[in-house]
Amino acid sequence: MTDKPYINPHLSEKPLKIHRLLDRFFHLHNRGTTAGREMVAGMTTFAAMSYIVVVNPMILSSTGMDKQGLLLATVVSAVVGTLIMALWANLPIALAPGMGTNIVFAQILVGQMGVSWQTGLTMVFLNAVIFLALSLTRWRERIVAAFPEPIKLGMQCSIGAFVAYLGLKSAGLVVALPGSIAGLGNLGDHAALLALGGIVATPMLVGRRVPGALLLSIIAITVAGSFIHGADGKVLTVWPEHLVAMPAFKTDLIGAFDFHEFLSKFYLLLPVTLYFLLSEFFAGTATLFGVTRRANLLTASGNLPDARAAFASDALASVIGAAVGTSTVTAYVESVAGVEAGGRTGLTGVTVAALFALSIFLAPLITIVPVQATAPVLVLVGLLMMEGLREIDLSRLETSLPPLLMTLVTVLTTDLMVGMAFGCFAYTLIAAALRRPQKVTAAVLALDAVFVLYLVLRNSIN
């Protein structure tokens, strides 16, 4: 009989019990992950998207909304939305107020059309309620199931290419040049060189399976930024006098809806309302699908696991976001950073939510992370998301052209919805030209009609 080592039950019983509870709730073992790995993944996701704590209040405050109230709304919506997704859908996907919609909200809806921000929040709230109804009645799930397989593949590849492009652009390695769409940035800029070094070094860390490689990359570049100056002559990482700050908790934005103005200007606001509805429906759906696909969590039939919970969580987060005073809350593509770090369950999201909750007190510390620190992570995870390109059968035009066209158009227009529209149109036209009517289903034609409507609405408000 082999002697067993003595284990003090008083020291081991509690951690083991917690581990069993976590495993039972989040199915850690079944998804091939551990609690430690999930927490590192959560920290990585948070590091990649924490900029929203600072950026969202900055953008929306131009409407006259209180910046301190917006800070609270941003954090609360991110915490609650991410927790709902984590605990209900058990997915490693973080949510927060979406970039893009907050700009349309501030610059077009309020700035150009002269609508009050209270009415804007009313529009966001009503759209979110519609999202929620579609999700709970499985209509959203059915719509996504109607997407042809080449379009689903194109979603993942398009998001990957777009994320990688954002990383290169934020690093200053891709810039707009006169007479061309984009060109190479100034390699004489030390900030761009630091980001380039990170883009080279980060895959090496990942390739050598260094634990927490992506998070370590962000921390290392942030520290290095303390000694490197940007093109403006200032150091990249500016350390604040105080790492912790007590925010002023203002509640002026909570429930600040104006249904009267919305109804009185209903026909004027209808195009923008439909624009919000369509863009968030499909862009949010594409992000959920793309991130989940990258995490290898799709079902055998190629659908989201517990799709109703995932879609309803996304919608409910926007209902709560509008109620506390911010623009549409959506799934973040930066969640793929956590997936690449090993995140496979909702425990990743719980970690992200906890860090967002702390961020309201650590806002000064979050602001020190320069864009050059997160750029290498975005480039790497974006490229890794494009691994789906290997599944494309180049010998068949109807399966190869739509995803490739989606990826190209998304990067060139920086608009995922436009890329999806071109992909769906190409799929339909090629199937019709090849005389394969079984592929041109009623659902596909309905998707085409929706994207035509989206492009018309997009053109009318721009």
Side-chain angles (χ1 to χ4, degrees), residues 368-447:
I368 72 169
V369 179
V371 293
Q372 290 79 9
T374 55
V377 173
L378 295 179
V379 172
L380 177 61
V381 300
L383 294 176
L384 290 175
M385 281 194 75
M386 295 177 67
E387 54 87 24
L389 291 173
R390 66 185 178 184
E391 300 178 21
I392 296 177
D393 184 358
L394 295 176
S395 65
R396 299 176 58 192
L397 197 62
E398 72 272 23
T399 61
S400 61
L401 185 59
L404 292 176
L405 185 62
M406 284 176 65
T407 303
L408 178 64
V409 173
T410 297
V411 173
L412 293 179
T413 63
T414 65
D415 191 325
L416 177 62
M417 282 287 289
V418 174
M420 290 177 64
F422 274 67
C424 284
F425 297 157
Y427 178 86
T428 304
L429 293 174
I430 292 172
L434 296 177
R435 298 181 180 179
R436 293 174 181 169
Q438 71 276 10
K439 292 185 178 293
V440 187
T441 63
V444 170
L445 292 175
L447 284 175

Side-chain angles (χ1 to χ4, degrees), residues 156-213:
Q156 177 183 340
C157 297
S158 298
I159 291 174
F162 183 56
V163 169
Y165 166 77
L166 289 179
L168 291 171
K169 183 180 179 182
S170 64
L173 294 171
V174 172
V175 297
L177 294 177
S180 66
I181 297 174
L184 181 65
N186 179 17
L187 295 183
D189 181 4
H190 293 168
L193 286 177
L194 177 63
L196 181 60
I199 291 172
V200 173
T202 303
M204 296 171 60
L205 294 176
V206 173
R208 294 184 64 86
R209 299 187 182 277
V210 175

Side-chain angles (χ1 to χ4, degrees), residues 295-315:
N296 294 319
L297 294 177
L298 295 181
T299 64
S301 58
N303 295 316
L304 290 172
D306 200 357
R308 178 188 286 190
F311 291 141
S313 298
D314 182 42

Side-chain angles (χ1 to χ4, degrees), residues 7 33 36 83 87 124-125 135 202 209 211 218 224 227 288 335 342 347 349 352 356 369 412:
I7 300 177
T33 186
L83 279 178
L87 301 178
V124 173
F125 176 76
S135 302
T202 303
R209 299 187 182 277
I218 293 172
F227 309 98
L288 284 171
S335 299
L347 185 55
V352 174
F356 264 117
V369 179
L412 293 179

Side-chain angles (χ1 to χ4, degrees), residues 49-63 65-67 69-75 77-78 96-103 105-106 253 321 325-329 332:
M49 63 180 289
S50 59
Y51 64 86
I52 197 64
V53 176
V54 177
V55 175
N56 193 55
M58 180 180 67
I59 292 174
L60 292 182
S61 61
S62 65
T63 65
M65 303 170 78
D66 180 75
K67 187 174 288 188
L70 284 168
L71 173 64
L72 178 63
T74 302
V75 171
S77 61
M99 286 295 297
T101 53
N102 54 7
I103 295 175
F105 184 103
L253 306 182
T326 187
S327 55
T328 306
V329 177
Y332 258 61

Side-chain angles (χ1 to χ4, degrees), residues 203-247:
M204 296 171 60
L205 294 176
V206 173
R208 294 184 64 86
R209 299 187 182 277
V210 175
L214 300 181
L215 185 60
L216 288 175
S217 170
I218 293 172
I219 294 173
I221 296 174
T222 299
V223 173
S226 304
F227 309 98
I228 295 178
H229 293 75
D232 58 0
K234 299 178 181 178
V235 291
L236 301 180
T237 304
V238 180
W239 295 86
E241 294 182 7
H242 305 285
L243 299 182
V244 180
M246 184 64 68

